[in-house]
Amino acid sequence: MKYFIYRLLQCTWGLPQTLVGFILFIKYIINDFRLIGNSKHDFNKPTETNVDELVGSVIFDNEAKNNGGAICLNGSSFEINAVSFANNIANRGGAVEIHTIRPGTSFINSIFIKNESLEEGGAIYIDDGSSENVILSSCVIESNKTTSENGGGVFINNYNGSLTLKDKLVVRNNISSGVGKNFYVTGKA
């Protein structure tokens, strides 16, 4: 297991376009990780993950036929810290899609740039009925887009928790063909 984690932390992923879903089932800190140029085909439900932290990583040029161009999380408590997401594409959540938020979910010092969704959430799509807190701190969410719906930067659906926006959060120049070019929120957030 130690060798696998070491190799995972040291590699740059540039796998063939025939990859069927990218799934992490590791409950450790993942540091200095690169996921480049992958594609998910026929993947119709969110990925179950147990990742506690994703730190200091670069994730770009990935495509999901459905949701979460780079990462799709379901029922996870996680921290994304100092991660760059660029040029990822999905139906919903160009870079990240989240279902069922758990305590401790946060995006810190991360960059979301030029990600694209065909529907909602050019960079981030959150669909959750919980009352957990989500933190966006010192992030840049810029030049992301949706091509047919709402929330060019961030789309949050059915959310009853608190959304904390703090420190030097930059959300600008996102594009939406619907409403909410930077943020679109439904629920009580």
Side-chain angles (χ1 to χ4, degrees), residues 114-118 121-123 143-147 151-153 174-176:
K114 294 186 178 180
N115 297 288
E116 180 180 340
S117 72
L118 301 176
S143 300
N144 301 285
K145 70 178 181 177
T146 62
T147 57
N174 296 292
I175 300 167
S176 173

Side-chain angles (χ1 to χ4, degrees), residues 3 23 25 28 40 45 66 81 95 104 111 126 139 175 179:
Y3 177 75
I23 303 172
F25 287 107
Y28 295 98
K40 293 190 245 177
K45 64 179 184 174
N66 290 300
N81 190 343
I111 298 171
I126 299 173
C139 291
I175 300 167
V179 296

Side-chain angles (χ1 to χ4, degrees), residues 40 63-64 66-72 89-97:
K40 293 190 245 177
E63 180 180 349
N66 290 300
N67 304 324
I71 299 174
C72 189
I89 299 171
N91 195 39
R92 288 185 177 152
V96 177
E97 180 181 25

Side-chain angles (χ1 to χ4, degrees), residues 1-11 26:
M1 183 69 167
K2 286 181 182 178
Y3 177 75
F4 172 75
I5 293 171
Y6 171 78
R7 294 295 300 152
L8 182 64
L9 298 179
Q10 300 300 317
C11 69
I26 303 169

Side-chain angles (χ1 to χ4, degrees), residues 42-120:
D42 300 322
F43 190 71
N44 295 313
K45 64 179 184 174
T47 303
E48 299 279 341
T49 63
N50 290 315
V51 177
D52 291 330
E53 293 181 61
L54 181 58
V55 182
S57 302
V58 178
I59 303 176
F60 67 95
D61 291 337
N62 297 286
E63 180 180 349
K65 295 292 181 194
N66 290 300
N67 304 324
I71 299 174
C72 189
L73 300 164
N74 187 14
S76 299
S77 174
F78 66 95
E79 177 180 299
I80 293 178
N81 190 343
V83 178
S84 296
F85 295 91
N87 301 316
N88 298 292
I89 299 171
N91 195 39
R92 288 185 177 152
V96 177
E97 180 181 25
I98 304 168
H99 288 272
T100 314
I101 296 167
R102 299 287 181 242
T105 299
S106 59
F107 297 90
I108 301 168
N109 298 317
S110 294
I111 298 171
F112 298 83
I113 190 163
K114 294 186 178 180
N115 297 288
E116 180 180 340
S117 72
L118 301 176
E119 292 183 17
E120 296 98 357

